[in-house]
Amino acid sequence: MFKNYLKITWRNLLRHKAFSAINIVGLAIGMASAALILLWIQNEVSFDKFHEKNDRLYSVYNRSVFDGKLWCWNTTPKVMGKIIKQEYPQVEDVCRTNWGSTFLFTVGDKHLNLQGNFTDPSFLTMFSFPLVHGDKHTALNTIHSIVITEKLSKKLFGNDNAMGKSIKIDSNAYFTVTGVMKDLPNNTRFSFEYLMPWTYMTKIGQDDQYWGNNSIQTWVLLKPGVTEALANKALVNVTKSHSDTKDIQQFVYPLSKLRLYSKFDEKGHPDGGRISTVRTFSLIAAFILLIACINFMNLSTARSERRAREVGIRKVVGALRGSLISQFLGESVLIAFIAGVIALVAVQISMSGFNLLTDKTLFVPYGSVSFWLVFVGFILFTGLISGSYPALYLSSFKPVSVLKGTFKAANAIITPRKVLVVVQFWFAVVLIICTIIIRQQLQYAQDRDIGYKKDNLVYVSMTGNIEKNYLAIRNDLIASGAATSVTKTSAPITQGWSDSWGYTWKGHMDKNKIDFNIFNTDGDFVKTMGLKIIAGRDIDVKTYPTDSMAMLLNEAAVKIMGLKNPVGEIVNNGEGKDARHYKVVGVVKDFILQSPYEPVKHMLIQGPKSWFNFIHFKLNPANTTANNLKRAEGVFKKYNPDYPFEYNFVDQEYARKFGDEQRLGTLASLFAGLTIFISCLGLFGLATYMAHNRIKEIGVRKVLGASVTSVTTLLSKDFLILVMIAFVLAIPMAWWAMHTWLQSYAYRVPISIWVFVVAAFVTVFISLATVSFQAIKAALTNPVKSLRTND
């Protein structure tokens, strides 16, 4: 029986090649799109869940009230981890990681600037990053031990075993490779090429015992049986118990939730994060697959008259409805299988492009048994969903009516087929509207005045001897004609690396704790960055020696501090012998340091008596960029010969701030286009079939004098009515979805009426073009030929 059903199915596919092709292509595109999205979703939801002790791993968070709002953040003092390990029995183990350090690695004639982490030895036993060589219990126990990844091992030593080999770090330290780690998976929040022991961080003076310096992450492994609630109760006052800070509390947050639930509301409760994007794309995957299935349903039921006699004869000879349902479901599963194989090929071909688009390294796990089980289940699910309605519909025909020739397809005002077409285009229109608004929001932020001139602005990390030779480098950059101005800074102008509170000034209310963005400079900051001075002047130590303790404020800082005449005011930080007293010498126009989607935060720009990590310099516009960089490279090589000249363009770094939104917009455009294509594919098939069914009617109308235009309108209007109904139903859904999405941006675009007008025009134009092709073709057919046909 199964073999017989298979033969019938195959013959039906070959007999109606056009409809078979439309069905298979539509399903294949839908399945491939859904598969790509599901691979992306699987990667997101599996982040850091591969660790063996995942259920006991937590990140330590702080919370306190700033500017009248409760803030939660997961940077902690460096001393906190040691205290938790010593004094809190609820915790089995603790490790700390910094946000990344860059060192020059030298092996033979190879010189590489590489980024890695300082951490405690317990990192390797708490987290499941397996070592292919070395012992995880002892690999980081000595001050000059280092663990490198397999990828880095190949960079430095080729195919040789790296264990026990020596690496020169910067110009004065030698480390021994005590472990080679398997390359990090693509679903972890950690990103490093090597691990160095925390003891070396202490040796080079980058460790401190200051409870006010929240600059690293602290991870805890709770003992078995210790719940999150018990840990939070025990750790709530770590800072309060060991420092003078009394208004900061601690809590732990599961590592498994950090990726998807990273936002907190004003009460300190988790309030979403990337999970909203995951849910959105889950719906998109489901709807794209559903639309592909709807195509199959519509085309199968549209051809119902042609299969009615087959059903009638089968029932007359004794076939039960159940066996007919099984046959039709089997046909749909076979088509889904063919489509699934094509989809898998399409996924593999498009994987590299999709990875580039999503900034991930996804892959199809062909070697996994579970993958093939899921793949088979995916095909069965798709086949059963797409074939369910046609199977029930076709198997319901009454043999008497069918064999008498009195059977006719339903022509009611509302039919399942019309509803399915409306559902298809409803979702397509929603995606079109959402895509337009996402693009608008991206452009809206990109067009925002950033407050400084990013063109021809370059920054270089102060590695090696750069800091020692800074004055000579600055002078030579200008003298060589490579740059017009140079300044030292604590961070890139595109990033906010530091924030702090505890500053006081005349009229400050002690109860009002304000957190400021902190930026440090040695002078010529305004000139180099192209900022606009609102009041006062730039920091200038050469002209004003006392400017070593000068300070610039931005407009937002002046406003929140309540200063009417800020120039000349004294801003204090700290107490006793460590207290610092800054004199405000100028106010600059607000400029975007962090997110271009948020209001500019209040900022304090401190003078030369500070710490620095970068040099920014403005390239000379009189020369070409290549010429300027060549001259600059010569200067840096002169004073820092052991280090490669590595630079960053500020405009390129700023553009990266829009990466997530650009990816979201591109993905939305891609899937909107695929949705429209699949929907139009089905519409094309329906239009083809309807035109064929009404071929005699068209012939009669033409004989009686009907024009091509009137025949085309006759065949097109019903489909256009369905599309317009879908558009009307899509408007409230699209508006609600985009209104909700835009609420996460303080700086956002308004939803304009023209967006819906454009979406309506695009949808109607595409659907009309799809239907009209077949309608015009039918209208131009010779009526003599139409009336002679026996089909």
Side-chain angles (χ1 to χ4, degrees), residues 716-725 763-764 767-768 771:
S716 303
K717 66 178 183 179
D718 290 342
F719 291 109
L720 290 181
I721 290 172
L722 296 179
V723 171
M724 291 309 298
I725 292 172
T763 308
V764 170
S767 57
L768 184 62
V771 175

Side-chain angles (χ1 to χ4, degrees), residues 387-420:
S388 57
Y389 174 65
L392 294 172
Y393 179 72
L394 291 171
S395 64
S396 66
F397 293 162
K398 295 181 180 179
V400 175
S401 299
V402 170
L403 296 176
K404 279 184 177 181
T406 58
F407 166 79
K408 287 187 178 180
N411 195 28
I413 296 176
I414 299 177
T415 64
R417 190 184 309 154
K418 292 178 179 179
V419 171
L420 292 175

Side-chain angles (χ1 to χ4, degrees), residues 49-173:
K49 291 184 178 178
F50 56 86
H51 300 289
E52 295 177 8
K53 303 171 184 177
N54 175 67
D55 58 330
R56 296 192 287 135
L57 286 169
Y58 291 81
S59 174
V60 179
Y61 267 72
N62 290 310
R63 61 174 169 235
S64 188
V65 176
F66 295 97
D67 309 340
K69 298 179 181 179
L70 183 65
W71 289 20
C72 299
W73 69 98
N74 66 338
T75 51
T76 60
K78 296 169 184 172
V79 67
M80 181 180 287
K82 184 167 56 176
I83 295 297
I84 291 176
K85 173 70 173 175
Q86 293 172 352
E87 300 182 11
Y88 294 87
Q90 296 83 1
V91 175
E92 180 178 309
D93 216 339
V94 178
C95 73
R96 298 162 291 180
T97 56
N98 67 334
W99 288 100
S101 299
T102 301
F103 289 98
L104 178 70
F105 278 48
T106 302
V107 174
D109 58 352
K110 297 177 182 177
H111 305 278
L112 301 172
N113 261 332
L114 302 169
Q115 188 176 64
N117 289 114
F118 285 113
T119 190
D120 294 295
S122 52
F123 178 89
L124 295 173
T125 56
M126 290 172 59
F127 297 96
S128 300
F129 294 116
L131 300 183
V132 292
H133 299 293
D135 185 349
K136 65 181 180 179
H137 296 95
T138 60
L140 291 174
N141 282 359
T142 59
I143 193 170
H144 288 105
S145 57
I146 188 170
V147 172
I148 62 176
T149 62
E150 286 183 296
K151 184 178 179 180
L152 180 54
S153 176
K154 289 181 180 179
K155 284 183 186 178
L156 297 174
F157 304 105
N159 294 324
D160 294 343
N161 188 346
M163 286 294 291
K165 294 188 181 296
S166 180
I167 300 173
K168 186 167 78 169
I169 304 295
D170 283 348
S171 58
N172 55 3

Side-chain angles (χ1 to χ4, degrees), residues 320-523:
L320 299 176
R321 188 181 183 189
S323 64
L324 291 172
I325 291 174
S326 299
Q327 177 193 342
F328 293 131
L329 285 177
E331 289 182 12
S332 66
V333 170
L334 177 61
I335 293 173
F337 176 78
I338 296 172
V341 173
I342 296 172
L344 190 60
V345 174
V347 166
Q348 188 60 52
I349 292 173
S350 60
M351 185 61 72
S352 59
F354 190 71
N355 281 336
L356 185 65
L357 187 61
T358 57
D359 194 28
K360 288 183 177 290
T361 52
L362 305 176
F363 60 92
V364 180
Y366 293 108
S368 170
V369 175
S370 59
F371 164 74
W372 290 108
L373 291 175
V374 170
F375 179 67
V376 172
F378 184 55
I379 289 175
L380 289 174
F381 175 79
T382 304
L384 293 175
I385 290 294
S386 60
S388 57
Y389 174 65
L392 294 172
Y393 179 72
L394 291 171
S395 64
S396 66
F397 293 162
K398 295 181 180 179
V400 175
S401 299
V402 170
L403 296 176
K404 279 184 177 181
T406 58
F407 166 79
K408 287 187 178 180
N411 195 28
I413 296 176
I414 299 177
T415 64
R417 190 184 309 154
K418 292 178 179 179
V419 171
L420 292 175
V421 170
V422 169
V423 170
Q424 275 188 312
F425 278 89
W426 168 81
F427 183 66
V429 172
V430 168
L431 271 184
I432 290 173
I433 294 172
C434 291
T435 299
I436 295 173
I437 294 176
I438 291 171
R439 291 289 182 185
Q440 272 190 294
Q441 172 67 5
L442 178 62
Q443 193 62 48
Y444 189 64
Q446 287 178 329
D447 292 342
R448 185 180 176 187
D449 181 14
I450 65 175
Y452 61 88
K453 297 178 182 178
K454 61 183 184 295
D455 297 335
N456 288 322
L457 189 58
V458 177
Y459 69 86
V460 174
S461 178
M462 295 179 67
T463 55
N465 297 320
I466 291 179
E467 184 170 12
K468 182 175 66 176
N469 297 318
Y470 169 69
L471 290 177
I473 290 173
R474 183 190 66 184
N475 294 335
D476 281 12
L477 283 173
I478 295 174
S480 67
T484 56
S485 60
V486 183
T487 185
K488 279 195 299 186
T489 60
S490 53
I493 189 65
T494 55
Q495 301 175 33
W497 278 18
S498 179
D499 62 287
S500 186
W501 61 92
Y503 288 85
T504 61
W505 56 92
K506 186 178 179 181
H508 173 251
M509 301 294 291
D510 290 338
K511 292 183 179 180
N512 185 20
K513 188 168 62 173
I514 301 173
D515 186 71
F516 293 92
N517 271 337
I518 304 299
F519 211 82
N520 301 329
T521 180
D522 70 321

Side-chain angles (χ1 to χ4, degrees), residues 16-24 299 302-303 306 685-686 688-689:
H16 307 287
K17 295 182 179 64
F19 286 97
S20 299
I22 290 174
N23 265 335
I24 291 171
L299 292 176
R303 292 173 53 231
R306 297 198 173 195
L686 285 176
T688 302
Y689 192 80

